[in-house]
Each structure stands twice: as structure tokens, then as C-alpha cells.
Amino acid sequence: MMKETKSFQLVSRENKKEDSIVQVNGPHGTIMIGQGYCTIIAGPCAVESWEDYLEVAVFLKQSGAHILRGGIFKPRTSPYSFRGLGKEGLEIMAEARRVTGMPVISEIMDLRDLDSLYEQVDILQVGSRNMQNYVLLEQLGKIDKPIFLKRGLSATIEEWLLAAEYIVSGGNSQVILCERGIRTFEPYTRNTVDIGAVPLVKMLSHLPIIVDPSHATGKWDMVIPVAKAAIAAGADGIMVEVHQEPERALSDGKQSLNFKNFQGLYSQLTALACLENKMIISEK
Ligand code: PEP
Ligand code: MN
């Protein structure tokens, strides 16, 4: 008879009592994620053009964001939707990284893109749709860059932590979890944000957890309150989508903050005593 498979171990709080800290090596130094530092990851859903991306990147750098996001290989429900710029997007992102000095994060969907993404980005994102792509997770366990693991659309906490276990047991302990909402019967919001996942994951695991209020709600005017709730619940930071003109974004405009609203978000999080006390960047 087969023995019952054991649940997550290496990522469990039992295995390691103290919070883990993930070190992101950007062009201008190391950014810590976890242990109470509050990290703001921001940027458009997708890298759309040289001009727009560089403008958003410079704005976000000046406005206090720590890490720059942007999809280059986009998972889209319809094959007719904009699926990212591919290789050119990588060049644009590399330029934004150089100009701003910010570390960058982008999603990997296909192992054939691993080498080029590894060269250009500081954190590799595994999207919700790929959380259970075990071949991908196994390979990411073999590299020495942080992995940002989004919760699957309908993944239980245990399934999510087991997905993290694949990466950590493969040899890469630099994993950041991201709660981005789960699919429920509620159609008003794109997903249902599971704020309870934040303290629960903190109890069950030592890994850092970040909340993405953009994908979690699908509505830009819910992003700020949900971001505040996430930080109040103990999240190690947030990931938000920002576009200079959300109305003309090629993807996820409805959930993207414009520049003014990003500044509002930043000042409200600062008021939560989050940023100044908890954020450290050690310059190289
Ligand atoms: C994204 O961050 O752009 C994205 C596609 O998110 P998710 O995988 O959470 O849907
Ligand atoms: Mn998006």
C-alpha cells in the first residue's frame, strides 16, 4: 500500500521558527523582502512600449516604489488579446532597470524563456495559472534568483505551500508568496481577496507574503483599501498595477492606478507607519 504523501516541510514554520528574508539584488543594492519590511512592487500589467514603460518607471522611482513590475510574456484568457511584447519587452525592461536603478520582476510562463529572463530580471514571477506547473517549479528550484509565487486561481493554502515546497526542495529557498485573490461565486469583483490567508500563511510558514490588491479585486478604486488591509493584516508588502492612462492600457486597465492614485496609496501606507519604519535598502 502507498504511504500517504507528506505535506509541506521545508517551508513550514515548524521547520524554521524565524521569518525568512528574501534578498533581491538590484542594480543599486539589495532589497530585503520579509521580516516586516514593507515592499512596494508596482508597474503596469504589461510592458507596452518604450515610451510608456520608461515614463511609468521613472515616475514610480520618484514616488517611492521599490521594485518595478511589467509583464513581457502574458498569460491571457483569449488568444486574441495582447500577450506581451516578448523579447523586445525584455530590452525595454532592462533599459528601465538601468535608468531607474530599480530591481525588476516579470513572469515566466515557458522554460524556453528562462535563460533570457534570468539574465534580465531580478525576480521571476510564477503566475496564478502556473502555480501547479510542477515542471516549471522544479526548474526554478535550481536557480539562484528569487521566485514570486502567486496563489493559483483556486488553490488551497496547502496546495500553494506545496508548490513553494517544490521550489525550496529543489534548492532555491528564495521564495516570496503572493496572495492575489481566489475565484469564488462572487462576480462583482474579479476575484475574492483572502485577507485571512496572510496571518494563516504567517502561522504555517516562514516565507514572506505579499498581497496583490489589483488582481484580487479587478477594480482600481478598491486597490487602496485592500492594500491597507493587507499591510494591517501583516503582509510584507504589496504588488500593484500602475499605468499613466489606465483607460488605454492593453491589459488590466480597470484595476490599474493612475499616477495620482499611486501617490495616494503611497502616502496612506506611509501613514500606516509601514514604509519609513520597515523599509531598508542597503546600497552597494
Ligand atoms: C500578473 O501579475 O500580471 C498576473 C497575470 O497575475 P495573476 O497570475 O495573479 O493573474
Ligand atoms: Mn495584470
Side-chain angles (χ1 to χ4, degrees):
M1 214 172 70
M2 288 271 285
K3 267 198 181 161
E4 202 185 324
T5 318
K6 283 190 188 147
S7 196
F8 54 90
Q9 299 168 36
L10 298 174
V11 305
S12 75
R13 186 63 86 177
E14 272 162 32
N15 177 53
K16 186 166 175 267
K17 295 274 176 287
E18 66 282 7
D19 288 349
S20 281
I21 193 135
V22 171
Q23 297 199 1
V24 182
N25 296 315
H28 285 182
T30 305
I31 287 186
M32 319 280 204
I33 301 183
Q35 278 189 9
Y37 296 126
C38 179
T39 306
I40 299 190
I41 305 173
C45 179
V47 176
E48 298 179 356
S49 70
W50 286 90
E51 211 185 353
D52 282 348
Y53 195 66
L54 289 171
E55 184 187 358
V56 107
V58 168
F59 164 78
L60 289 169
K61 169 70 186 172
Q62 287 166 353
S63 306
H66 309 120
I67 298 173
L68 190 60
R69 64 154 283 149
I72 290 167
F73 303 102
K74 295 293 304 169
R76 299 306 301 276
T77 303
S78 163
Y80 307 118
S81 299
F82 175 62
R83 292 198 278 161
L85 292 180
K87 294 270 144 65
E88 193 188 3
L90 271 178
E91 287 169 34
I92 299 174
M93 193 172 230
E95 178 67 2
R97 181 181 188 272
R98 194 188 63 72
V99 168
T100 61
M102 292 168 89
V104 294
I105 173 170
S106 199
E107 176 166 352
I108 177 159
M109 291 207 298
D110 186 330
L111 280 173
R112 287 172 294 187
D113 301 319
L114 180 56
D115 290 348
S116 51
L117 277 164
Y118 180 87
E119 261 174 48
Q120 308 277 18
V121 310
D122 304 290
I123 308 175
L124 287 153
Q125 175 171 325
V126 176
S128 217
R129 291 153 192 82
N130 268 314
M131 189 208 83
Q132 285 175 308
N133 182 339
Y134 298 117
V135 177
L136 182 64
L137 300 178
E138 234 179 331
Q139 290 303 316
L140 296 177
K142 295 185 184 156
I143 67 170
D144 59 358
K145 282 228 167 142
I147 308 298
F148 192 82
L149 181 64
K150 288 193 141 192
R151 182 176 180 181
L153 297 171
S154 61
T156 63
I157 303 272
E158 186 176 27
E159 287 164 344
W160 185 22
L161 291 174
L162 280 167
E165 187 84 15
Y166 263 87
I167 303 169
V168 175
S169 64
N172 183 356
S173 59
Q174 302 272 96
V175 176
I176 304 145
L177 299 166
C178 175
E179 164 61 43
R180 45 78 73 206
I182 47 175
R183 185 166 276 191
T184 69
F185 50 81
E186 175 52 65
Y188 271 108
T189 48
R190 182 176 181 182
N191 292 291
T192 295
V193 59
D194 185 3
I195 287 290
V198 176
L200 184 55
V201 161
K202 289 273 175 209
M203 284 175 221
L204 296 173
S205 174
H206 52 84
L207 295 176
I209 176 167
I210 280 189
V211 172
D212 171 350
S214 308
H215 292 89
T217 63
K219 293 183 180 346
W220 70 267
D221 47 1
M222 288 181 71
V223 166
I224 295 181
V226 172
K228 290 199 292 187
I231 298 303
D236 297 293
I238 51 157
M239 167 181 263
V240 279
E241 288 185 335
V242 179
H243 195 284
Q244 54 269 79
E245 264 181 79
E247 312 74 42
R248 67 167 169 84
L250 298 180
S251 57
D252 289 350
K254 289 197 174 72
Q255 66 193 36
S256 299
L257 297 180
N258 61 23
F259 287 1
K260 187 170 144 275
N261 288 324
F262 178 79
Q263 285 166 331
L265 167 73
Y266 191 89
S267 61
Q268 293 201 42
L269 290 185
T270 310
L272 263 182
C274 157
L275 298 175
E276 274 149 2
N277 299 340
K278 295 183 176 177
M279 179 48 211
I280 290 183
I281 299 179
S282 50
E283 297 288 335
K284 254 185 199 157

